[in-house]
Amino acid sequence: SLAGHRAEGRPFEDLAIRALDRAIELAPESSDVPALKFDYLFGWGRTKEAQEAGALIVQRLDDSADGLNNFAWGLLTEDSKKGKFNPLALLAASRASELAGGESWYILDTLALARFEMGEPAEAVRLEEKAIEIARRTAVPEGQIRALEDALARFRKGR
């Protein structure tokens, strides 16, 4: 009952999470419901639980390079999430790169940023250089290549 949850101090949150957990059970292939749970938990300041929901997102996106890359990029670049989910972002970006055969410039860019944020600037430089090489080969617009070069310069400077 709601009265029983009132004593815990977070009745709405607890009920919402139970409902989302049930929806996750009913839709075992969906990454949308775990993403909703992740967003709610994070918004409520329940970062540790959000990590667990994020791991489920990565698991459910296991065959989607773009889905994994987009999730990782958001974790690494959204102001509210920066620095809070670096290991999860690295996991997602690594799997995305694996799925793309290490040949996607934008996925390598994400992976480079994840490595950099994990304190591996030399690996970030190596990955970003490869991203730039692939981007040039595939006629990516010059503005995008400049953004990659800016990231490379940042990685070379270190933290």
Side-chain angles (χ1 to χ4, degrees), residues 42-54:
F42 178 70
W44 293 328
R46 295 166 69 170
T47 306
K48 184 174 190 236
E49 292 168 275
Q51 292 274 5
E52 295 166 11

Side-chain angles (χ1 to χ4, degrees), residues 52-116:
E52 295 166 11
L56 183 58
I57 295 168
V58 171
Q59 179 184 356
R60 296 229 174 144
L61 288 173
D62 189 59
D63 62 349
S64 172
D66 284 337
L68 288 163
N69 185 67
N70 290 339
F71 181 58
W73 187 257
L75 295 175
L76 292 164
T77 62
E78 289 176 21
D79 287 340
S80 63
K81 294 179 180 131
K82 279 183 185 177
K84 294 181 176 83
F85 299 101
N86 291 343
L88 186 58
L90 177 59
L91 178 67
S94 295
R95 178 62 180 147
S97 185
E98 182 182 312
L99 288 169
E103 290 299 317
S104 167
W105 66 269
Y106 61 91
I107 291 175
L108 286 170
D109 179 49
T110 302
L111 182 56
L113 179 58
R115 289 287 184 192
F116 182 76

Side-chain angles (χ1 to χ4, degrees), residues 8-64:
E8 295 175 25
R10 300 188 292 210
F12 174 77
E13 291 177 24
D14 294 337
L15 289 172
I17 295 306
R18 283 209 319 267
L20 287 166
D21 285 341
R22 182 66 180 131
I24 287 169
E25 288 174 23
L26 294 172
E29 301 299 315
S30 172
S31 62
D32 293 340
V33 180
L36 188 58
K37 182 179 178 182
F38 174 87
D39 287 340
Y40 276 121
L41 288 167
F42 178 70
W44 293 328
R46 295 166 69 170
T47 306
K48 184 174 190 236
E49 292 168 275
Q51 292 274 5
E52 295 166 11
L56 183 58
I57 295 168
V58 171
Q59 179 184 356
R60 296 229 174 144
L61 288 173
D62 189 59
D63 62 349
S64 172

Side-chain angles (χ1 to χ4, degrees), residues 136-156:
R136 284 197 172 118
R137 260 197 339 246
T138 55
V140 169
E142 193 56 40
Q144 187 60 57
I145 290 176
R146 275 194 302 278
L148 296 173
E149 290 170 340
D150 290 346
L152 178 60
R154 180 172 155 236
F155 300 157
R156 284 185 172 145

